[in-house]
Amino acid sequence: MKKRILACLSAAVLSLSLLAGCAQDTDKETTEPESTSEEKSEEKELVEVTLNEVAHSIFYAPMYVAIEEGYFEEEGIDLTLICGFGADKTMTAVISGEADIGFMGSEASIYTYAEGATDYVVNFAQLTQRAGNFLVAREEMPDFTWEDLKGHLVLGGRKGGMPEMVFEYILKENGIDPETDLEINQNIDFGSTAAAFSEGQGEFTVEFEPGATTLESEGKGYVVASLGEDSGYVPYTAFSAKQSYIDENPDVIQGFTNALQKGMDYVQAHTPEEIAKIIEPQFPETDLETITTIVTRYYDQDTWKSDLIFEESSFDLLQDILESAGELEERVPYEDLVTTEFADAAAK
């Protein structure tokens, strides 16, 4: 039996330090059954599941804990992890059947549902409850307020994507008009903003990790605000699958969710240092000290839920953000796009 995790390069890295997913093949011995023995041993056959993740990031630590600790195998799943490099690509993989399960921003499921998809994608487990990006300035600003962005150029994210929408949501909550009070550059590819900032573009940049920490370590930028803290609890990323796949494979979805819950439990019960050590193999080109710094930053802002239940209030907030960004003309029903059946069972 083999556990297969495909290599997955993150798009959210600087040119000096590419993140790479953990590629590993771990062989386990299988006891040969004795044809005449009453104690014949039968090993449970694993079900192959392909998971497409939106990016390979320390932001998603509980999932990597579940992988590294073998929780998916314990639940009868042979997991193949592939990086989609963007929610649109991850969603395409799920809809086309190239992936069984997608891990991305929940807004993608709303978009496809609103476009009239018949076999639409349903969210069954929420991993993160805060935004995972940070505002980086060129100078230290211990007394930073969002008003300080007025009249300046900020390197932002893709229009319609969660990073940009959460950023604009925070601006509006602080009485700032994203279109007139500042300039937001949305033309730089995902994962390239830190490099652009380091080369002199923009006065501020919105960065995921390890971009924010790398800029700080190189003395080229300083984290002045956490979008996760200032936006409140947002259902930032969730696991989803087509309704037909969930209907046909409820045991697989339950086992998958159980494995994730074990990862969530581990994160809740261990220190950032212990978490970083477990997920280190997933990020072979990032040193342990940097991984620990990033895990600590996410840990301290209460990034990860204690369970995987995607609550209706969170879904409503998500739609508030989409409406505020002008990306949602009509609200969609929570009951159609979210099921808590599997997360409820895993939490018990």
Side-chain angles (χ1 to χ4, degrees), residues 317-338:
L317 175 57
L318 173 62
Q319 297 202 78
D320 289 343
I321 293 172
L322 295 180
E323 285 183 335
S324 175
E327 298 293 336
L328 184 63
E329 294 183 0
E330 184 177 352
R331 288 190 170 240
V332 301
Y334 169 80
E335 295 77 11
D336 284 357
L337 289 185
V338 177

Side-chain angles (χ1 to χ4, degrees), residues 218-282:
E218 294 177 349
K220 295 181 177 179
Y222 301 88
V223 172
V224 296
S226 163
L227 275 71
E229 291 180 353
D230 289 352
S231 63
Y233 290 111
V234 176
Y236 207 79
T237 47
F239 295 87
S240 56
K242 288 193 294 187
Q243 183 65 64
S244 61
Y245 184 86
I246 295 175
D247 291 342
E248 294 165 9
N249 303 277
D251 291 343
V252 172
I253 295 296
Q254 188 62 69
F256 185 94
T257 309
N258 291 347
L260 289 173
Q261 183 63 59
K262 293 176 184 178
M264 302 293 269
D265 293 343
Y266 184 99
V267 166
Q268 294 294 325
H270 291 77
T271 66
E273 290 77 13
E274 292 169 322
I275 297 166
K277 185 64 177 177
I278 291 295
I279 68 173
E280 182 183 13
Q282 287 283 325

